[in-house]
Amino acid sequence: VQLQACGGGLVQAGGSLRLSCAASGRTFSEYVMNWFRQAPGKGREFVAAINRGGTMTYYQNSVKGRFTISRDNAKDTVYLEMNSLKPEDTAVYYCATARGIYYNDYSMDYWGKGTLVTVSS
């Protein structure tokens, strides 16, 4: 599976961004889709996941109520809507596929290259 994430950029605190991740090469709907992020000088951390049918979502506590993960299986794309952004959300955001619901990066199968989100205070 090839994954291409986009939509990152520079935004002021309190602002919004929408990330997209387009998949190709395999059947998109076979995979649980995930977003991870890696802040400067830190390890990669789980942000959100969505099940194959798009009916169940899972979030890291710090983004609950602010971020929304969704998917469009007809377009082979997963999204991350990010609202009320904070400077601590600054990171490179990655999309990844998995066969189940996991919260760790070592269980992911395929990764996109990442897109940088910078939130200024």
Side-chain angles (χ1 to χ4, degrees):
V1 177
Q2 291 78 46
L3 301 172
Q4 181 64 51
C6 63
L10 174 63
V11 63
Q12 288 188 330
S16 299
L17 280 175
R18 188 193 197 203
L19 306 184
S20 300
C21 174
S24 61
R26 294 289 294 270
T27 304
F28 178 74
S29 59
E30 291 180 353
Y31 294 98
V32 172
M33 295 302 300
N34 302 264
W35 288 97
F36 283 75
R37 67 186 180 186
Q38 187 166 19
K42 295 187 177 181
R44 195 152 48 184
E45 64 175 2
F46 171 81
V47 175
I50 187 166
N51 69 345
R52 295 172 181 82
T55 58
M56 296 292 292
T57 57
Y58 308 82
Y59 298 95
Q60 181 199 109
N61 285 338
S62 68
V63 307
K64 282 182 181 177
R66 299 190 299 122
F67 290 12
T68 302
I69 187 172
S70 61
R71 66 190 295 163
D72 186 339
N73 286 345
K75 295 182 178 179
D76 293 349
T77 302
V78 62
Y79 306 96
L80 187 68
E81 183 77 33
M82 305 185 296
N83 298 314
S84 302
L85 282 161
K86 304 175 181 180
E88 52 263 43
D89 294 318
T90 294
V92 177
Y93 283 72
Y94 300 88
C95 56
T97 68
R99 295 290 183 174
I101 300 298
Y102 308 108
Y103 301 96
N104 55 74
D105 57 359
Y106 54 82
S107 296
M108 300 297 112
D109 297 316
Y110 300 97
W111 292 88
K113 287 189 176 181
T115 184
L116 177 62
V117 172
T118 303
V119 184
S120 62
S121 56

